Amino acid sequence: MKIKKERLMKFFSEQLLTISTLAGVVLGVIFGLILRASSSSKWSSREIMYFNFLGELFLRMLKGLILPLVISSLIAAIGTLNFKATGRIGGRAITYYLITTFMAVILGIILVLTVRPGIDRHKKNSTESVHTTSSQLRTITTTDAMLDLVRNMFPPNIIQACIEQYQTVLKPPSANASNDNIDEWNIGHTYGNGMNIIGLVVSACVFGIAMSTLHGSVNTVLGIVTEVSALMMKITSWVIFVSPIGIFFLTVSQVAEMDDLNVVAGKLGLYLITVIGGIVFHGFVILPIIYYAFTRKNPYTFIMGMGPAIVTAFGTGSSSATLPMTIQCIEERNKVNPQISRFMLPIGATINMDGTALYEAVAAIFIAQLRGIELSFGKVVAVSITSTAAAIGAAGIPQAGLVTLVMVLDAVGLPPEDVSLILAVDWILDRVRTVVNVLGDCLGAGIVDHMSQKDLIVPPINPQENAANASASGSYEIVTVPATKET
Ligand code: ASP
């Protein structure tokens, strides 16, 4: 009995952070519902802004960590690997990303074609609201979106990449010309929409590779980035400490401001269930099976370890903002080697989005069903390819998937305005897909970590661990971080 109690206490103390962040969400929902019930009219945006203030501060802190943490960690991780090992680990990571993303898309397509949420079962309901309010969506083609992604990988100005990114802009040739043939539209570009994370990630990788090929002759720089990365991890742990409060306020304001949930009845409700069911099945059944198949370790213990990051992904709807927490949790709680986690997670947060991929496929086919468009096999294949591309191209920020959905709609001949058909429930789906986007990155890092043990011949890049390890064994001959080893 006593042993059981002790075990229970141990479990609770280990999971305290997960439990408190989860409590942040649950209490946030309850408090948000109380707020809704306590006012007969809708809360004004100013009032919502006040409710959200502490949540906003939390989000700002997380976002502030991204740049210094990602850059320093990536350079330090790759800089301490040898070139061949980087290639092998990178190859495994990309293979995992592509295969799992495509599996998510296929699952989504099978589900939406089986459940058929957009098909009229009772003809009399056929006038379901179809708003085609003009949204602020850009018209982009799949090719342009992919080319933009590649362009952004090579930022001409690294400072600019910290603030903005390149976007192709298409404009109709003249106001009264026919807008049907997009090939005749004028091509321009603009810079905007936040930090160019993919550009920074690629630049940091190149920097790290250059460092590793110079074999020890740039140890001062490597020592500096390694120490900056350790500092950023320390600051991250402080932010994690306040995460339950931040998550609580983010949830309260979201629940207080959301539209009435009765719009979720009917087809939209079925669509919601299809997407959530698919995403949850992919994230909590398929990916864990893959993890188990490669590592023979319990995937759910691993997922429990990622608890705070998963709840934060749900609370913020942003893989990028969650990144500092993801890195911290995977290293501290799941003991994944920092060389793998700091290499794979920033890349994964920008390109590996299983939840988004599944959602894109289901959403496009659902809209086609609503519009009564029969999709040929060829079109379904086009949806699967463009959904994968759209998920890779989506940024790790709230509702980025909704923007890249335009590409998938384009593939089945639907106008961009049709995204308004699913707008009402997108914020919920965004949070759920962000959870699985983050989870997919983590399980992938766990798998690659397991497979890459032989490639990781240098000690961990955490300076404190280095010092401890070095003094414990006295035997790290190939240490490439002298600044920290000397301590
Ligand atoms: N919010 C998602 C993420 O950050 C992207 C999306 O909109 O699907 O991972």
Side-chain angles (χ1 to χ4, degrees):
M1 189 68 185
K2 201 170 167 224
I3 296 178
K4 255 193 179 172
K5 202 176 159 196
E6 267 172 21
R7 266 203 198 160
L8 212 66
M9 292 305 285
K10 190 169 169 260
F11 174 80
F12 275 116
S13 64
E14 274 171 11
Q15 298 301 333
L16 191 65
L17 192 61
T18 311
I19 295 169
S20 45
T21 27
L22 208 59
V25 173
V26 175
L27 292 178
V29 171
I30 297 174
F31 203 74
L33 290 174
I34 295 175
L35 276 182
R36 282 173 80 85
S38 63
S39 160
S40 51
S41 60
K42 247 189 137 198
W43 291 95
S44 70
S45 51
R46 171 161 290 275
E47 286 159 336
I48 299 283
M49 183 266 285
Y50 291 143
F51 296 146
N52 192 30
F53 189 63
L54 290 183
E56 192 189 335
L57 291 189
F58 168 64
L59 211 56
R60 292 173 76 93
M61 287 190 252
L62 278 181
K63 286 183 182 167
L65 286 171
I66 299 174
L67 184 65
L69 178 68
V70 167
I71 301 280
S72 60
S73 314
L74 251 175
I75 297 177
I78 300 179
T80 47
L81 282 170
N82 68 42
F83 186 64
K84 275 197 188 138
T86 306
R88 276 195 295 270
I89 294 169
R92 286 178 197 130
I94 299 289
T95 313
Y96 167 85
Y97 292 157
L98 285 179
I99 293 179
T100 50
T101 304
F102 203 63
M103 281 170 77
V105 169
I106 301 291
L107 174 65
I109 291 179
I110 293 174
L111 281 177
V112 71
L113 291 179
T114 318
V115 180
R116 304 202 299 163
I119 300 285
D120 256 327
R121 294 196 169 77
H122 317 287
K123 275 286 176 227
K124 55 181 166 31
N125 283 353
S126 64
T127 50
E128 181 134 353
S129 62
V130 172
H131 341 255
T132 43
T133 46
S134 97
S135 56
Q136 287 168 351
L137 289 160
R138 293 183 302 134
T139 304
I140 43 167
T141 65
T142 310
T143 323
D144 289 331
M146 286 294 103
L147 291 181
D148 280 357
L149 186 74
V150 179
R151 282 188 190 106
N152 277 319
M153 284 180 180
F154 303 95
N157 181 333
I158 201 95
I159 308 291
Q160 183 189 35
C162 300
I163 339 175
E164 48 186 29
Q165 52 179 283
Y166 184 98
Q167 280 175 350
T168 294
V169 179
L170 298 178
K171 288 203 186 92
S174 67
N176 42 13
S178 153
N179 291 347
D180 289 348
N181 189 358
I182 208 150
D183 290 340
E184 283 168 14
W185 286 29
N186 298 322
I187 302 179
H189 73 266
T190 176
Y191 277 92
N193 209 17
M195 193 194 304
N196 173 9
I197 297 189
I198 190 94
L200 294 174
V201 163
V202 171
S203 309
C205 287
V206 174
F207 206 79
I209 292 171
M211 215 174 242
S212 74
T213 50
L214 285 177
H215 292 304
S217 53
V218 283
N219 278 338
T220 318
V221 186
L222 186 53
I224 292 172
V225 279
T226 306
E227 290 187 359
V228 171
S229 144
L231 281 172
M232 295 318 299
M233 290 305 284
K234 185 79 211 162
I235 300 173
T236 305
S237 67
W238 295 339
V239 177
I240 289 182
F241 191 68
V242 297
S243 60
I245 303 170
I247 300 281
F248 169 78
F249 284 103
L250 284 173
T251 314
V252 168
S253 56
Q254 179 69 69
V255 173
E257 78 172 342
M258 72 186 178
D259 287 329
D260 268 341
L261 280 181
N262 53 18
V263 292
V264 176
K267 292 176 192 169
L268 208 53
L270 205 53
Y271 157 74
L272 187 75
I273 294 168
T274 312
V275 179
I276 293 183
I279 290 181
V280 168
F281 187 74
H282 180 80
F284 292 89
V285 179
I286 296 186
L287 291 182
I289 291 176
I290 299 177
Y291 176 85
Y292 179 75
F294 279 93
T295 65
R296 299 282 151 188
K297 289 186 220 156
N298 185 343
Y300 297 103
T301 314
F302 186 95
I303 294 176
M304 284 286 277
M306 295 314 302
I310 290 175
V311 181
T312 306
F314 185 82
T316 59
S318 167
S319 315
S320 301
T322 312
L323 194 53
M325 306 251 317
T326 319
I327 295 179
Q328 179 91 9
C329 289
I330 208 167
E331 291 174 9
E332 298 285 314
R333 302 166 135 239
N334 284 332
K335 307 290 173 223
V336 167
N337 191 306
Q339 285 176 316
I340 298 289
S341 56
R342 297 182 194 187
F343 177 24
M344 277 186 70
L345 293 178
I347 301 176
T350 32
I351 62 170
N352 180 45
M353 298 197 181
D354 295 2
T356 304
L358 186 143
Y359 146 86
E360 304 259 359
V362 176
I365 297 180
F366 168 69
I367 293 174
Q369 289 173 348
L370 278 184
R371 293 287 190 201
I373 298 175
E374 276 291 321
L375 293 182
S376 62
F377 181 71
K379 288 268 188 212
V380 174
V381 172
V383 168
S384 67
I385 295 169
T386 44
S387 298
T388 310
I392 295 172
I397 55 171
Q399 299 196 311
L402 192 71
V403 180
T404 54
L405 177 62
V406 172
M407 287 162 47
V408 193
L409 292 181
D410 186 51
V412 279
L414 289 163
E417 291 78 29
D418 272 5
V419 294
S420 59
L421 295 170
I422 53 167
L423 220 49
V425 292
D426 200 68
W427 68 270
I428 309 178
L429 294 182
D430 184 35
R431 283 151 193 260
V432 181
R433 60 190 193 245
T434 309
V435 164
V436 171
N437 291 347
V438 170
L439 194 58
D441 298 341
C442 298
L443 289 168
I447 294 173
V448 175
D449 179 58
H450 184 84
M451 293 173 75
S452 308
Q453 288 308 316
K454 285 202 204 90
D455 296 310
L456 305 171
I457 47 165
V458 290
I461 54 178
N462 184 334
Q464 288 145 7
E465 273 178 43
N466 278 350
N469 289 341
S471 58
S473 66
S475 65
Y476 272 135
E477 297 307 333
I478 17 174
V479 174
T480 44
V481 198
T484 55
K485 197 196 166 199
E486 275 160 16
T487 54

